[in-house]
Amino acid sequence: MKDFAGKTAVITGGASGIGRAMGALFLDKGMNVVLADIEHKALDETVAALNSGSGRCVGVVTDVSKAEDVQHLADAAVAEFGGIHIACNNAGVFAGGLLWEESVADFGWQLDVNVWGVIHGIRTFVPIMAKQDSDCHIINTASMAALTAMPYSGIYHMTKHAVLGLSESLYHELAFHVPNVKVSVLCPEMINTGIGTSERNRPSAYSRDGDIVESEARTMVSEAIAESVAVGIGPEVMAQRVFDGIVAERFYLLSEEAWRETAHTRLDDIRLARNPTFAPPVDL
């Protein structure tokens, strides 16, 4: 895609972080933007802030774990702007700890948002784009966690590996059947976002008695992430990475820093059939 003016982007997880930064950049490029988020107040505030530019921005409260919510989001975007040209399946959550200590709800919540949110996006947005006589692009937000495996965040790694594998298969299927639609997978490193405080959005269905297990490992990883994201890369860098990837039709949108070296070590482990190496990125 080279022409952005007047086209429409839909972004989940759009009230903050990378989603908000993508919305701001797309608006700056003359696009209309539909932001989706589960946080009603934060979404309203973001839409109001971004609407000061030349484009038009609207917000739709959306729980991406629910297929009907994502369909409602798409319907609202088409009704408001006539089509969808870029869809960013960006919403994501995190909870850490030891895998055998984490609750079924911890697994369910992260799978429902991080994986099912992308699944619902693909199933909803691709058919709409396939009917449009224009270039379109899907962005699925994974993580450098999709290419690595660190302790105390196994559920998150699992979900992001799933997003990467799903996106790779989608790349081939689109090339064979819907060539006007391209796909990229964004794999951020440590970004200055609210991912470390995802629990603020944790629905009651995943927060019943026994669903949140306090442990030393959970506390440790929460504190470590809070420290890392506080000095992390600005989300606007990821927005530019996405924009450049769309223009270049580049699939893998990866870190160029320490996380890439950790990913290379893991790939060498697989290539050489050796046991997994503990090789955390030096900027973790």
Side-chain angles (χ1 to χ4, degrees):
M1 183 184 296
K2 301 293 191 291
D3 182 16
F4 295 83
K7 294 184 177 178
T8 300
V10 176
I11 306 167
T12 67
S16 62
I18 296 172
R20 176 171 175 154
M22 288 192 291
L25 181 57
F26 290 145
L27 283 168
D28 187 58
K29 299 300 180 180
M31 297 190 74
N32 300 309
V33 171
V34 181
L35 296 181
D37 206 283
I38 199 171
E39 279 195 279
H40 196 162
K41 182 179 178 182
L43 181 61
D44 287 346
E45 291 172 350
T46 295
V47 169
L50 295 186
N51 259 327
S52 59
S54 58
R56 285 185 59 208
C57 179
V58 299
V60 180
V61 176
T62 306
D63 180 348
V64 298
S65 72
K66 299 177 179 178
E68 60 270 24
D69 272 29
V70 179
Q71 185 63 58
H72 171 69
L73 167 64
D75 292 343
V78 172
E80 185 74 23
F81 297 119
I84 299 172
H85 304 91
I86 295 176
C88 302
N89 297 308
N90 173 72
V93 295
F94 175 88
L98 292 170
L99 286 166
W100 58 88
E101 292 182 345
E102 291 181 274
S103 67
V104 170
D106 284 332
F107 280 84
W109 180 43
Q110 292 179 77
L111 283 165
D112 285 348
V113 176
N114 297 355
V115 181
W116 276 105
V118 175
I119 293 170
H120 295 324
I122 290 170
R123 296 187 69 254
T124 301
F125 298 126
V126 171
I128 294 171
M129 293 175 168
K131 296 176 182 178
Q132 297 177 168
D133 185 22
S134 59
D135 291 335
C136 298
H137 211 108
I138 299 280
I139 299 289
N140 293 330
T141 299
S143 167
M144 288 306 290
L147 299 161
T148 59
M150 293 290 109
Y152 312 116
S153 52
I155 302 175
Y156 186 76
H157 278 277
M158 174 183 66
T159 63
K160 294 306 184 177
H161 276 71
V163 171
L164 177 59
L166 185 67
S167 300
E168 288 171 332
S169 291
L170 179 63
Y171 175 89
H172 296 299
E173 292 179 4
L174 291 174
F176 292 152
H177 299 283
V178 196
N180 70 302
V181 182
K182 303 299 189 290
V183 60
S184 299
V185 61
L186 175 64
C187 295
E189 51 271 46
M190 280 296 181
I191 310 302
N192 190 349
T193 70
I195 188 70
T197 58
S198 298
E199 301 280 2
R200 73 189 187 280
N201 293 325
R202 184 166 173 148
S204 59
Y206 308 99
S207 305
R208 295 166 295 194
D209 286 347
D211 284 349
I212 301 176
V213 180
E214 300 299 335
S215 67
E216 290 183 4
R218 192 185 192 98
T219 299
M220 177 187 67
V221 72
S222 295
E223 291 175 351
I225 287 179
E227 292 176 1
S228 296
V229 299
V231 295
I233 296 171
E236 66 279 359
V237 176
M238 295 301 103
Q240 189 64 51
R241 185 180 294 176
V242 166
F243 181 80
D244 293 344
I246 292 172
V247 172
E249 297 184 358
R250 185 166 57 249
F251 177 79
Y252 295 104
L253 308 181
L254 306 175
S255 164
E256 295 293 344
E257 306 300 331
W259 279 98
R260 182 74 78 94
E261 294 305 315
T262 296
H264 288 170
T265 299
R266 177 175 179 268
L267 291 173
D268 285 343
D269 289 342
I270 295 170
R271 181 176 58 84
L272 299 172
R274 68 190 183 197
N275 291 345
T277 302
F278 178 59
V282 296
D283 62 354
L284 179 62

